Amino acid sequence: MDSLYTPTSDIIVAGFHALSEPLRLKVLELLREQELCVCDLCETLGVTQSKLSFHLKTLKEAGLVRSRQEGRWIYYSLNLAQFVILEQYLSDYRRFTKILPARPC
């Protein structure tokens, strides 16, 4: 793969792992529109804060979301740079991989 930035496999694995859970995808969909605090995410998704915290931790560790604290509230937003890395990883397959027909056994 011929790119300026080659992400480590850990970053790629963490990113796709984070994207593999339906609740985390719902969180990302909500954050596409605006930055949200945990209480708003819990209310909209109908989940407890402890359940959501686990999923937000996974998304943060994958670099897909960032957080900032304002007073006693924590607000979450998308980290678009990480999505670019995952997108680049996938696009390299399309651009640089030749798909050859299977050889006869």
Side-chain angles (χ1 to χ4, degrees):
M1 290 188 211
D2 208 333
S3 64
L4 295 175
Y5 176 72
T6 304
T8 66
S9 61
D10 290 344
I11 291 171
I12 300 300
V13 169
F16 286 114
H17 169 72
L19 293 171
S20 70
E21 179 13 84
L23 181 61
R24 292 193 286 265
L25 290 176
K26 289 178 185 176
V27 169
L28 295 174
E29 284 296 320
L30 291 170
L31 295 177
R32 284 178 76 173
E33 301 195 14
Q34 65 182 5
E35 177 184 70
L36 292 168
C37 71
V38 173
C39 59
D40 289 335
L41 288 166
C42 287
E43 184 179 322
T44 302
L45 296 168
V47 297
T48 63
Q49 188 169 345
S50 61
K51 180 176 182 174
L52 186 60
S53 291
F54 169 79
H55 292 291
L56 287 169
K57 180 179 182 239
T58 302
L59 289 167
K60 276 187 70 173
E61 288 173 350
L64 296 175
V65 299
R66 358 173 196 225
S67 63
R68 68 174 181 86
Q69 189 163 355
E70 188 174 302
R72 63 185 204 125
W73 302 109
I74 297 177
Y75 292 87
Y76 289 89
S77 61
L78 295 179
N79 179 15
L80 296 178
Q82 188 65 20
F83 286 89
V84 171
I85 291 170
L86 295 177
E87 182 181 15
Q88 178 67 46
Y89 175 79
L90 290 175
S91 71
D92 284 349
Y93 276 96
R94 181 176 36 84
R95 292 186 321 202
F96 300 118
T97 303
K98 295 178 184 175
I99 300 178
L100 302 173
R103 293 189 330 217
C105 295

